[in-house]
Amino acid sequence: MFCFVVLHYLVKEETILCVNSILQLIGEKRIIIVDNASPNGSGKELEQIYSAVPSIDVIVLPENGGFAKGNNIGYLYAKKLYNPESIVIMNNDIQITQQDFILTAKELYKAEQYAVLGPDVYATSLNIHQSPKRLTHYTLNEIAGLLQSYEKKCSQKTLTKVKCRVKRVNVLKRFVYNQRIKKNRIDHRNTYYDVPLHGSCLVFSEAFIQQRDHAFFKGTFMYYETEILDYLCQKNHLKTMYTPRLQVLHHHNVSTNQSFQSDIQRTTFMNETIRDSLAAFHALMVKDETENAFLE
């Protein structure tokens, strides 16, 4: 059986579309909706909507634990209660239109024995393919540089306002994303191994589930979860894989956009949260380096 963990926040309609797309898939499945303490009460509404559907569980959390904690709760719930062969963690703004998604993921696991599988994530609003994020692992020096950069961003309020105005132009936004993809020389039509995947939809296989009681590193609220996952999988010799044989549609940032009254509020929150995630990632890498040096 495949368990699908759908992290919900605020946008009930998106979650319903996501759940409906999962229900259409061929194969045995169970859906666990995790409501991250949505202040509009939509978690309770979903609990009522799906109360009579035996294959769907709704967990309403008392507080918003962020991306990692919310998904980890759903992951552990699925693991302990249903003993699934795979756990798919996905945002509520993801839709799966590929009916043989489960069958193909099973077939790939039989052939590849992956720990974590990432599908082709197509962002509908940006017209780009988002996974894999890049083809190389992050280094300690790189994370230190990014942390310094985001500490500056958090202190430069005027520059944040200017960037928000620029981001409103979708053509420019798409151009920036496409330039990033070209720079990383990513061709979404290829299969890649051991690369940072996009966190909006991930398949955690039996090989991963047997080893770990949580999907994501516990030290972040939002952002850089899959970069840290890539680092931990590399460290623990767990195979990750990107495949174009699976594809999902991503209706990008719907919940995040609805959470804030203005672009400036959203960008300020994003910058501060990324800075905190980078600080946690940096501390983890430094700790590991120190421990390795001591063992040597």
Side-chain angles (χ1 to χ4, degrees), residues 9 14 21 30 36 41 77 107 109 116 121 124 135 142 148 163 172 175 185-186 192 194 209 234 236 257 275:
Y9 190 68
E14 284 293 328
S21 77
R30 176 163 285 276
N36 233 338
Y77 178 94
E107 183 186 319
Y109 181 65
V116 186
V121 179
T124 54
L135 302 182
E142 201 174 357
Q148 191 175 31
K163 285 184 175 179
L172 289 174
F175 175 77
R185 296 180 181 178
I186 296 168
Y192 295 104
D194 301 319
I209 296 166
Q234 177 195 5
N236 293 297
N257 291 343
R275 175 201 60 198

Side-chain angles (χ1 to χ4, degrees), residues 42-83:
S42 54
K44 289 288 184 184
E45 290 178 45
L46 289 168
E47 199 172 36
Q48 290 176 350
I49 289 167
Y50 294 116
S51 60
V53 183
S55 62
I56 300 176
D57 298 348
V58 180
I59 303 169
V60 179
L61 300 181
E63 60 180 14
N64 185 353
F67 181 90
K69 186 174 181 180
N71 279 318
N72 282 343
I73 288 169
Y75 170 93
L76 188 58
Y77 178 94
K79 176 177 176 174
K80 296 294 186 186
L81 213 61
Y82 299 114
N83 191 29

Side-chain angles (χ1 to χ4, degrees), residues 267-283:
T267 305
T268 300
F269 167 81
M270 186 176 75
N271 287 342
E272 290 174 353
T273 311
I274 289 173
R275 175 201 60 198
D276 294 345
S277 293
L278 286 166
F281 194 2
H282 184 262

Side-chain angles (χ1 to χ4, degrees), residues 9-24:
Y9 190 68
L10 292 177
V11 192
K12 180 181 68 180
E13 295 75 19
E14 284 293 328
T15 299
I16 291 169
L17 283 172
C18 176
V19 168
N20 286 344
S21 77
I22 298 168
L23 290 172
Q24 301 303 312

Side-chain angles (χ1 to χ4, degrees), residues 170-183:
N170 276 335
V171 175
L172 289 174
K173 195 188 287 187
R174 280 198 296 271
F175 175 77
V176 170
Y177 275 106
N178 279 316
Q179 287 301 111
R180 194 180 299 164
I181 291 164
K182 284 179 184 176
K183 182 183 173 184

Side-chain angles (χ1 to χ4, degrees), residues 132-150:
K133 287 187 169 183
R134 54 187 271 171
L135 302 182
T136 57
H137 305 297
Y138 281 84
T139 65
L140 177 56
N141 286 341
E142 201 174 357
I143 293 301
L146 283 166
L147 176 57
Q148 191 175 31
S149 170
Y150 271 90

